[in-house]
Amino acid sequence: MKRILLAEDNPNDVELTLAALKECHLANAVDVVGDGADALDYLYRRGPYAARAEEMPGVLLLDLKMPRVDGLEVLRQIKSDPTMRNLPVVMLTSSREESDLVQSYNSGVNAFVVKPVDFNQFVQAIRTLGVFWAVVNEPYPGNAKASNISKAP
Amino acid sequence: MSIRQAITSSTFWVPLLASMAILAVCFGLYEREADQIAKGVLDRESRRTEIFASFFARDVREVINDLEQLAVNDGLRAYLATGQKADIARAVHEAWFFSRQNPNYDQIRYIDEKGMEVFRVNWNGEVVPSGDLQDKASRPYFQKTNALAAGQFYISTLDLNIEHGRVEQPFKPTIRVAMPIFDATGKHRGVYIINYLAAASIDHLRQFAPQYQQRLRILSPGGYWIAGPNPQSEWGFVLPERAGLTLARTDPVLWANISSHKEGQTPYGGGYFTWCRVVPSEIKPDVTSSVLAEDDYLVIASQISGDEWNNYFFGLRETFLVVAGVLLVLLAASWRFLRARQQAQRELDRFFNTTRDMVFIAGFDGYFKRVNPAAEETLGYTSEELTSRPFIEFVHPDDRDRTRAETKHLVRGGETILFENRYRTKDGQVKWLSWSARPVAWRQTIFASARDLTEQKKAAERIQKLSEGLKKRAEQLEAANRELEAFSYSVSHDLRAPLRHIHGFIELLQASPTIQADASSRRHMEIITKAAREMGLLIDDLLAFSRTGRVEMHPVKIDMREMLGQVIREASSEAKGRNIVWDIKPLPKVDGDANLLRLVWVNLISNALKYTRPREEVWIEIGHRVENKDGREEHVFYVKDNGVGFDMAYASKLFGVFQRLHRATDFEGTGIGLANVQRIVHRHGGRVWAESIVGKGSTFYFSLPLTLNPGTDDIAL
């Protein structure tokens, strides 16, 4: 089973996301990085991640707002690199407005999840994502549209 | 103009006097010209009568000459000496010779001292037989001549020949010229006499100037006509039936004049009468005396009739009338032209002196030639000062080069349009002038007008400063607005994260088996959960409100009835089971942003449903009318319900953000809905307001302009 990479700077959100993933029995396969720069290092196996297993993660859960390199920049770099382009990216946004921002950015995001205030709704969203990810073990870029999995609050 | 003014003004007198002067000059010239013509004519008349008189005198003198010749001829001399018949024959032959020579000699004869004809040769050499010779002793010519001394002559008056006591027909005007004959011893021996046919002389005069022959007049002593205006009046002294027809009787004044002057000229019968007397002593100057020593012999005259006289001046008078007419017309025309020019000049002067613009006439030499009062007033210099120095000296030193260049351009024939430069006024101010000018090359002159732009320039500067200030302020406001947006946006977002965390961790806590047992703790956690959810709703509403102010509008044609129908259908599903009467009046189509206007209806309809919840029977009316607001037509929509209503005292708070007039326990809500309605309607250029009676219901109104004219976006969130 491929791993899930979670890029999130806020430890509370990391813990809640992990809790949600745990509810969906996906917690064991998660690697967490604290910002965009680390996320890129992880993906390109640079710096502290130079020694990690060669296999690429199955999906990237990418928070939009992060220090140093933000989510949009990470997304842009991934999608402009032919070797990375096929990596499915799910953007985590804290509001509807931000999801608009991501969509308008139009850089090939595969899905987005608005982090709801209600934790139960968040769990539900992660679960849908988990099902999607589990079923489509080898996802094709562009196959999964935002509207398929996101649930607007 | 009244008559009195007309008479006293030059307009009346100048042309009148001028025309009178022209007429006077014309008349004077005409008089002079006519005088000269008259003088010429009269001179010619005088000369001609003089010449005629001398012609006549010469004719008679030749007869005398012949007579003198005959008197000294040998034949006659021999006869006088011998008294023999043979010598008579010689004398007759001599007379015959003269008769043949001169066809005007009617008779040539010698009469002895007793009055008996010795011989006579009639006309054309017809020698009268001695038996037919007559005794002439009783005839006056014989008696008068017989009494003369040697060297004296007798000349008869011009007479008709009388034969045997009767006037010979046709008339034979005759003059008898005679001389006494003396023999060698000095003894008086009779009279030699020639009857001269004077008709020849008269014809001679007539033929000499045929064109004047009808003017020829010949008068014999006593004023009898020999050649007169009318042949029936001639020969009155011979013919008894015409005895009274003399000039002396018909015009004694003229006759008296003629009698007392040898020659003369006098106006007569509208024309002129010119005469000259043939004086016997002038016929033969060496004759010491004559039978007719008195001058009353024969008058030769020329009479110009009134018609003939006038004919001399006919063309002249016409010519001068035409000339005077033409001159008067020219005078009138030039007077009118002058008046028109004067008028134009006066108008120009008035314009020049009263226009608010400065007007200058400048020479190519760089001097003003004439400036108007507006220029004096603006520049503070007098006209004399402005024209006494080159105009470049009045120009601000910094503008002189440009001004010189512009002047050069004008002198080369160019035109100046809205050229601006600065002038220094007398009191040291600087004035901005805007120039228009055009040269007139042949007059070496520039016509220029200028307008004082100083105030305008100052105003423009002030406006420039103001608009710069406004621009700066608008930029500041925009920046503040942007900051405010960013602030509210990030606040909303940043508020969500901790809220989510509170919520999430409470959920996790609630799932904890140790906590679950404690009922009080669970209730507390539920309250926290609920509070966090409400706060989340507030934040979402706030974000949505911020959005309605920021999203771009896409105006389209909207059928309001259709849109309202959709909104009501969606809303009704949430109000199932309630007894609601919808009264929807006809609604128009409007211009607007569909998403935003739908939000307006959603808010108003959901409000109506919300606040009618306590009613058994709900009645909601939606309608429209067109109103005129401050001269602009607008759609007014309203939603009227029979709900709980609100206190009009708080109506001003209705549309504020998070303003609520009801307790949350009665009616849920965040208080953002009507704020959104207001913001959307404002963005469409409309207004919102509401009326209500507590317990009876409320009516919410919003208006939209008939044609879309988006209002300014609200500056705050």
Side-chain angles (χ1 to χ4, degrees):
Chain A
M1 205 172 201
K2 288 188 177 178
R3 299 191 71 78
I4 295 169
L5 177 60
L6 172 63
E8 171 66 77
D9 62 317
N10 189 315
N12 290 338
D13 274 330
V14 170
E15 194 173 341
L16 287 171
T17 307
L18 287 177
L21 286 168
K22 196 172 168 187
E23 295 247 321
C24 310
H25 311 290
L26 291 166
N28 291 342
V30 178
D31 286 333
V32 178
V33 292
D35 60 35
D38 279 357
L40 289 172
D41 281 352
Y42 178 95
L43 290 174
Y44 287 99
R45 297 169 68 216
R46 297 182 303 216
Y49 302 97
R52 78 162 176 86
E54 199 174 322
E55 193 191 26
M56 291 297 284
V59 67
L60 168 59
L61 302 182
L62 185 59
D63 187 29
L64 187 65
K65 279 194 169 172
M66 287 185 294
R68 296 213 284 175
V69 179
D70 73 3
L72 283 177
E73 176 59 22
V74 173
L75 181 66
R76 197 185 59 74
Q77 289 204 20
I78 290 170
K79 291 304 172 186
S80 60
D81 181 350
T83 63
M84 293 282 176
R85 194 179 290 160
N86 291 335
L87 175 65
V89 178
V90 175
M91 290 294 266
L92 300 173
T93 66
S94 56
S95 80
R96 232 190 128 83
E97 303 243 329
E98 281 184 347
S99 68
D100 283 355
L101 188 67
V102 174
Q103 274 183 322
S104 71
Y105 192 71
N106 195 23
S107 51
V109 71
N110 296 85
F112 70 87
V113 171
V114 177
K115 291 185 254 182
V117 170
D118 193 326
F119 180 68
N120 288 328
Q121 285 179 17
F122 185 60
V123 171
Q124 197 60 42
I126 293 294
R127 180 171 292 140
T128 314
L129 181 69
V131 169
F132 155 77
W133 177 72
V135 170
V136 191
N137 203 20
E138 200 68 36
Y140 295 97
N143 239 5
K145 283 291 171 199
S147 54
N148 290 344
I149 53 168
S150 78
K151 214 175 183 187
Chain B
M1 194 186 277
S2 77
I3 289 171
R4 180 170 298 182
Q5 276 174 317
I7 289 174
T8 51
S9 83
S10 64
T11 324
F12 180 81
W13 283 110
V14 171
L16 188 73
L17 290 175
S19 356
M20 282 168 64
I22 282 180
L23 286 176
V25 167
C26 280
F27 186 72
L29 286 172
Y30 167 76
E31 285 281 275
R32 219 178 73 172
E33 195 63 22
D35 267 3
Q36 275 188 349
I37 287 176
K39 212 173 151 224
V41 170
L42 296 179
D43 266 2
R44 282 199 298 279
E45 289 287 296
S46 299
R47 274 208 307 280
R48 201 171 59 250
T49 42
E50 251 173 69
I51 288 168
F52 279 7
S54 70
F55 280 176
F56 198 90
R58 190 194 60 198
D59 285 350
V60 176
R61 190 160 59 240
E62 275 176 9
V63 180
I64 292 175
N65 287 343
D66 281 355
L67 207 55
E68 280 180 319
Q69 185 60 48
L70 285 167
V72 295
N73 270 350
D74 292 346
L76 182 67
R77 284 291 133 191
Y79 169 70
L80 289 179
T82 64
Q84 291 182 2
K85 285 268 184 198
D87 291 328
I88 289 179
R90 276 179 65 197
V92 168
H93 186 261
E94 284 160 6
W96 174 86
F97 178 79
F98 271 86
S99 172
R100 294 290 289 187
Q101 286 293 309
N102 199 328
N104 295 324
Y105 290 169
D106 192 37
Q107 294 175 358
I108 303 175
R109 56 191 158 165
Y110 171 62
I111 301 171
D112 66 20
E113 63 273 13
K114 301 214 172 57
M116 188 62 204
E117 286 178 331
V118 179
F119 58 83
R120 168 153 61 110
V121 179
N122 280 350
W123 185 74
N124 200 22
E126 181 204 343
V127 179
V128 176
S130 53
D132 289 346
L133 297 174
Q134 298 166 355
D135 182 357
K136 298 290 184 187
S138 62
R139 298 297 173 91
Y141 59 80
F142 171 76
Q143 289 169 358
K144 283 191 176 171
T145 311
N146 215 23
L148 291 178
Q152 286 188 317
F153 296 89
Y154 167 81
I155 302 167
S156 82
T157 177
L158 189 59
D159 212 342
L160 294 181
N161 196 35
I162 297 172
E163 286 297 328
H164 311 294
R166 282 181 57 233
V167 173
E168 200 179 343
Q169 293 285 354
F171 291 165
K172 239 184 190 177
T174 305
I175 296 174
R176 290 182 182 80
V177 181
M179 66 182 288
I181 298 294
F182 296 88
D183 61 18
T185 60
K187 191 185 169 211
H188 183 257
R189 294 293 297 275
V191 169
Y192 212 116
I193 184 165
I194 294 176
N195 281 16
Y196 170 63
L197 292 174
S201 280
I202 295 170
D203 287 347
H204 187 189
L205 297 184
R206 286 204 165 112
Q207 276 148 27
F208 178 76
Q211 70 269 38
Y212 299 124
Q213 58 177 301
Q214 82 283 0
R215 292 188 193 170
L216 181 68
R217 303 286 181 268
I218 302 174
L219 287 155
S220 71
Y224 291 96
W225 292 112
I226 292 168
N230 173 14
Q232 302 306 313
S233 63
E234 292 169 357
W235 304 111
F237 59 100
V238 197
L239 305 173
E241 69 271 24
R242 299 183 185 171
L245 304 175
T246 64
L247 180 61
R249 280 189 61 180
T250 55
D251 197 332
V253 177
L254 176 62
W255 179 242
N257 198 357
I258 291 170
S259 305
S260 56
H261 294 92
K262 179 177 176 291
E263 56 189 22
Q265 201 161 40
T266 183
Y268 182 69
Y272 266 88
F273 200 94
T274 309
W275 73 92
C276 184
R277 194 169 315 137
V278 181
V279 178
S281 61
E282 283 176 4
I283 294 173
K284 180 81 176 166
D286 52 342
V287 171
T288 53
S289 64
S290 150
V291 168
L292 295 173
E294 75 274 27
D295 283 339
D296 184 12
Y297 174 56
L298 204 66
V299 175
I300 293 187
S302 179
Q303 183 185 349
I304 299 177
S305 71
D307 287 347
E308 278 177 303
W309 182 249
N310 283 336
N311 278 343
Y312 281 110
F313 308 99
F314 183 75
L316 185 70
R317 206 158 41 226
E318 260 54 38
T319 303
F320 272 92
L321 278 176
V322 167
V323 166
V326 166
L327 283 176
L328 283 177
V329 167
L330 277 176
L331 173 81
S334 53
W335 179 251
R336 274 195 66 158
F337 175 73
L338 272 174
R339 294 277 305 158
R341 273 201 57 168
Q342 258 182 359
Q343 186 80 17
Q345 185 64 42
R346 264 205 300 277
E347 279 170 14
L348 258 179
D349 283 350
R350 200 172 302 142
F351 170 76
F352 190 82
N353 289 325
T354 56
T355 177
R356 301 282 304 131
D357 284 340
M358 288 165 266
V359 183
F360 302 86
I361 299 171
F364 283 4
D365 57 1
Y367 283 78
F368 288 134
K369 302 298 178 196
R370 194 177 164 195
V371 304
N372 74 341
E376 293 178 307
E377 192 187 330
T378 307
L379 300 178
Y381 289 102
T382 64
S383 171
E384 288 71 30
E385 287 169 324
L386 284 169
T387 51
S388 63
R389 281 155 55 193
F391 56 71
I392 200 73
E393 289 184 19
F394 299 100
V395 177
H396 190 283
D398 294 350
D399 290 351
R400 282 181 188 168
D401 286 345
R402 283 195 310 119
T403 305
R404 280 195 195 95
E406 190 65 26
T407 309
K408 204 174 271 176
H409 166 69
L410 274 167
V411 168
R412 288 198 188 118
E415 239 178 87
T416 285
I417 299 161
L418 301 182
F419 171 75
E420 292 179 9
N421 65 3
R422 283 166 292 179
Y423 265 64
R424 279 235 182 93
T425 65
K426 195 172 189 180
D427 56 7
Q429 292 178 60
V430 173
K431 295 265 186 187
W432 273 100
L433 304 186
S434 167
W435 292 86
S436 296
R438 149 186 302 227
V440 177
W442 64 273
R443 288 177 63 176
Q444 299 271 297
T445 299
I446 296 167
F447 290 85
S449 77
R451 210 163 268 196
D452 185 358
L453 283 189
T454 315
E455 286 307 311
Q456 208 173 315
K457 286 263 179 192
K458 278 184 190 161
E461 258 170 48
R462 277 199 299 275
I463 288 168
Q464 176 75 15
K465 264 184 201 159
L466 275 174
S467 72
E468 268 168 20
L470 275 176
K471 204 171 151 198
K472 211 179 254 175
R473 181 141 173 69
E475 277 166 6
Q476 284 169 348
L477 274 173
E478 211 172 291
N481 197 20
R482 271 199 305 275
E483 274 170 30
L484 213 54
E485 283 290 344
F487 171 73
S488 71
Y489 177 78
S490 66
V491 161
S492 308
H493 282 87
D494 295 349
L495 280 177
R496 278 173 69 90
L499 199 59
R500 200 167 56 241
H501 299 151
I502 294 167
H503 203 270
F505 285 102
I506 291 288
E507 290 283 330
L508 291 177
L509 211 53
Q510 279 174 327
S512 162
T514 52
I515 301 293
Q516 270 179 348
D518 186 346
S520 149
S521 296
R522 269 174 58 186
R523 199 178 66 83
H524 291 159
M525 285 188 290
E526 271 164 25
I527 290 169
I528 294 173
T529 304
K530 202 178 161 203
R533 187 179 291 126
E534 273 172 17
M535 190 169 172
L537 284 175
L538 278 172
I539 291 168
D540 283 347
D541 280 353
L542 198 56
L543 274 174
F545 179 69
S546 169
R547 255 164 75 87
T548 57
R550 279 180 293 125
V551 293
E552 216 177 304
M553 295 221 312
H554 298 288
V556 291
K557 201 58 136 183
I558 298 163
D559 185 339
M560 289 297 246
R561 192 179 170 80
E562 197 183 311
M563 176 179 272
L564 180 69
Q566 282 178 10
V567 170
I568 287 174
R569 271 194 298 282
E570 282 167 22
S572 301
S573 63
E574 287 173 26
K576 259 184 191 151
R578 291 176 60 190
N579 185 6
I580 302 169
V581 176
W582 296 95
D583 180 4
I584 303 174
K585 310 284 188 198
L587 297 178
K589 291 184 176 175
V590 300
D591 292 321
D593 184 288
N595 287 331
L596 292 176
L597 287 182
R598 167 186 290 274
L599 208 51
V600 170
W601 286 120
V602 166
N603 273 296
L604 294 179
I605 296 299
S606 70
N607 269 0
L609 287 171
K610 190 195 292 180
Y611 294 105
T612 52
R613 213 178 285 144
R615 298 284 181 263
E616 288 283 310
E617 279 188 8
V618 176
W619 177 75
I620 300 174
E621 180 189 325
I622 297 127
H624 159 264
R625 60 176 182 262
V626 172
E627 279 186 6
N628 192 312
K629 170 76 176 174
D630 303 333
R632 271 172 58 191
E633 303 250 288
E634 58 180 17
H635 294 293
V636 173
F637 298 92
Y638 63 90
V639 177
K640 188 174 182 184
D641 63 50
N642 62 341
V644 295
F646 59 88
D647 186 344
M648 282 297 279
Y650 303 112
S652 60
K653 293 186 167 184
L654 263 181
F655 298 96
V657 181
F658 299 140
Q659 296 286 343
R660 303 214 58 213
L661 302 185
H662 297 277
R663 277 188 291 245
T665 46
D666 296 336
F667 297 101
E668 77 288 354
T670 55
I672 204 81
L674 287 177
N676 257 332
V677 167
Q678 184 179 46
R679 178 170 272 193
I680 291 167
V681 170
H682 281 182
R683 287 194 71 186
H684 281 82
R687 303 171 292 128
V688 288
W689 67 100
E691 292 163 358
S692 181
I693 298 166
V694 176
K696 294 274 184 187
S698 357
T699 309
F700 282 83
Y701 298 90
F702 70 96
S703 71
L704 295 174
L706 279 190
T707 48
L708 188 58
N709 176 28
T712 47
D713 289 2
D714 295 51
I715 280 171
L717 51 107

